[in-house]
Amino acid sequence: MSIRLFTYIVQLVIKSKMEYKESFILGAMGQIVGYTANYLVIWLLLQKFESINGWGWTEIAFLYSLNLLTYAIGASFVYSPMIGLGQILIDGKFEQYITKPLASFPYFIASLFNIGYIAHILISGTVLIWSLVNTSIDWTIVRILYLILAIISASFLQAAFMVVIGSLSFYFLRVQYLFTILFRVREFIAYPISVYGTFFQIILTWIIPLAMINYYPSLFLFSHGSSIETTLYGLAALVVGPVVFLLAYQIWRRGINRYSGAGG
């Protein structure tokens, strides 16, 4: 599927959703209020302790915002199709995505694009920009380019986790509970992973590399830690997202090859 066709399908989905503007606006406002409350809780916590393992309010705000922003970007494309895949398979509606002369994966995610995450993007993007303005980062072309690439890579990584879980629907059908587990684990990266023990740091870096979403890019930008370690992990964060997403796509393809129809 070409990028132009993919974009066209997404535009059609957005137009159909915007037919119910009042519902969309109310939903977006509710999400903004909810995440504003989350930011407020973190701010109150920092008022009490001033810093968390050497990270101040603006740095923690950036850490949280980078996680939320990249989640929203990735989830806009894959959350709705992946969490709903099990029911789509049960209802026998998946055939409409594999019987057309289009690549099934991009067609599937484009058809179920979720514009509702715009509220997440607005609030997280606003706080992220505010936090960057209020930190003492020495902005250079390299750091600006790094931030852009880090957001892209982290968005791929966030999407990859959801694609992996969604693809398991080809084997087990009901996998919604795994999304709940993923979201609970994501809460660990709301704060610097250096506050956890070595065991959890290893898990969040090498087993479930959630720390590559926001912690290691933040280390690179804020120059925390040793320079060699910061640089290596910071650069790794730029490639982990696309690599894991490609692996997730291969799992999807294996699931497609296994699929034998609603009655199979």
Side-chain angles (χ1 to χ4, degrees):
M1 178 183 288
S2 66
I3 296 177
R4 182 178 180 181
L5 179 56
F6 182 90
T7 304
Y8 177 70
I9 295 174
V10 169
Q11 289 175 343
L12 291 179
V13 173
I14 293 175
K15 287 181 180 179
S16 67
K17 296 295 184 182
M18 293 307 293
E19 290 295 322
Y20 306 94
K21 293 185 177 64
E22 294 79 6
S23 177
F24 170 77
I25 293 173
L26 285 175
M29 290 177 62
Q31 291 174 357
I32 290 175
V33 170
Y35 280 105
T36 298
N38 290 346
Y39 279 110
L40 181 59
V41 169
I42 298 174
W43 179 78
L44 290 173
L45 181 65
L46 268 298
Q47 297 306 300
K48 176 69 174 180
F49 298 102
E50 296 186 359
S51 67
I52 297 178
N53 204 31
W55 293 61
W57 157 237
T58 53
E59 294 171 324
I60 296 292
F62 174 82
L63 196 72
Y64 187 87
S65 298
L66 187 56
N67 179 24
L68 180 58
L69 174 64
T70 55
Y71 163 73
I73 295 173
S76 295
F77 293 95
V78 303
Y79 175 75
S80 293
M82 293 304 151
I83 198 171
L85 179 57
Q87 192 61 48
I88 291 173
L89 293 173
I90 292 171
D91 294 340
K93 297 179 179 179
F94 190 66
E95 277 73 7
Q96 64 181 302
Y97 299 106
I98 58 176
T99 55
K100 292 182 174 62
L102 298 170
S104 61
F105 183 75
Y107 178 45
F108 185 48
I109 64 175
S111 299
L112 295 173
F113 180 81
N114 191 338
I115 192 178
Y117 283 99
I118 188 66
H120 296 63
I121 294 174
L122 287 175
I123 186 169
S124 60
T126 299
V127 178
L128 185 141
I129 292 173
W130 171 86
S131 63
L132 291 176
V133 170
N134 286 275
T135 54
S136 57
I137 297 177
D138 181 20
W139 287 108
T140 62
I141 296 298
V142 172
R143 276 195 167 89
I144 293 173
L145 181 61
Y146 178 86
L147 177 60
I148 295 171
L149 294 177
I151 291 174
I152 294 173
S153 179
S155 299
F156 272 113
L157 187 54
Q158 299 265 21
F161 291 128
M162 289 180 273
V163 171
V164 169
I165 295 176
S167 299
L168 295 178
S169 298
F170 290 114
Y171 301 90
F172 308 108
L173 291 181
R174 306 288 189 182
V175 298
Q176 287 85 347
Y177 65 94
L178 293 177
F179 282 94
T180 301
I181 294 174
L182 173 63
F183 298 149
R184 291 290 179 266
V185 175
R186 278 184 62 245
E187 293 176 1
F188 282 98
I189 61 171
Y191 304 98
I193 67 167
S194 56
V195 303
Y196 308 121
T198 303
F199 177 73
F200 282 105
Q201 291 186 41
I202 292 174
I203 290 178
L204 294 173
T205 300
W206 300 109
I207 309 301
I208 309 175
L210 288 167
M212 294 293 179
I213 292 171
N214 61 349
Y215 178 67
Y216 290 114
S218 298
L219 283 182
F220 184 90
L221 290 172
F222 297 132
S223 300
H224 281 288
S226 63
S227 58
I228 296 178
E229 181 183 10
T230 297
T231 301
L232 290 177
Y233 279 106
L235 294 177
L238 299 184
V239 298
V240 167
V243 169
V244 175
F245 187 83
L246 287 175
L247 293 175
Y249 177 65
Q250 294 305 313
I251 295 174
W252 165 271
R253 291 186 62 185
R254 286 180 177 272
I256 286 284
N257 292 334
R258 184 183 186 278
Y259 180 66
S260 57

